[in-house]
Amino acid sequence: TPSANEVNVDASYNGSQVELATGDLLIVTLDSNATTGYSWNLSAISDADVIEKVSDEYIAPEETGSPMVGAGGQEVWTFEALSAGTAEISMIYIQPWMQPPAPADTFDITVIVE
């Protein structure tokens, strides 16, 4: 079977739209700093029939000699395009224990699956 295309986006895509074909993977890479207690959380996918979350992982910064206390890494979120349509993905950067959560940042992208 042919491998799926990967479409990579980062924070510069916030508020924009991206086009995918069915079966494509959307890779969202956002700066994150686990040492501050903040993490990216998926707050909504407007149409789960169009796109679904496959995975997410935190990638710590590379060690370069002495450890950098407080150095940030990245969170990498993978989504798969399931069927034709339009869906919005919304994410918030929060400290999960804060109630109510007060996002330090947000990320929104509109996905159009052909």
Side-chain angles (χ1 to χ4, degrees):
T1 61
S3 61
N5 285 325
E6 287 186 3
V7 176
N8 292 281
V9 301
D10 58 22
S12 70
Y13 284 77
N14 189 22
S16 66
Q17 66 182 36
V18 62
E19 293 182 8
L20 303 173
T22 302
D24 283 357
L25 297 177
L26 175 66
I27 313 295
V28 178
T29 303
L30 299 170
D31 289 341
S32 180
N33 192 337
T35 66
T36 63
Y38 281 90
S39 63
W40 284 99
N41 288 256
L42 182 62
S43 56
I45 293 178
S46 66
D47 190 340
D49 292 331
V50 173
I51 196 158
E52 73 174 353
K53 183 187 108 173
V54 176
S55 66
D56 66 278
E57 68 174 318
Y58 177 77
I59 300 173
E62 286 188 32
E63 294 285 335
T64 55
S66 60
M68 294 283 293
V69 175
Q74 294 181 316
E75 284 187 59
V76 179
W77 291 71
T78 303
F79 299 88
E80 182 179 0
L82 300 177
S83 63
T86 301
E88 311 240 348
I89 297 172
S90 298
M91 300 170 72
I92 54 175
Y93 191 56
I94 60 169
Q95 291 174 317
W97 64 85
M98 295 295 287
Q99 293 302 323
D105 203 354
T106 59
F107 179 81
D108 300 286
I109 194 164
T110 300
V111 178
I112 300 168
V113 181
E114 305 275 317

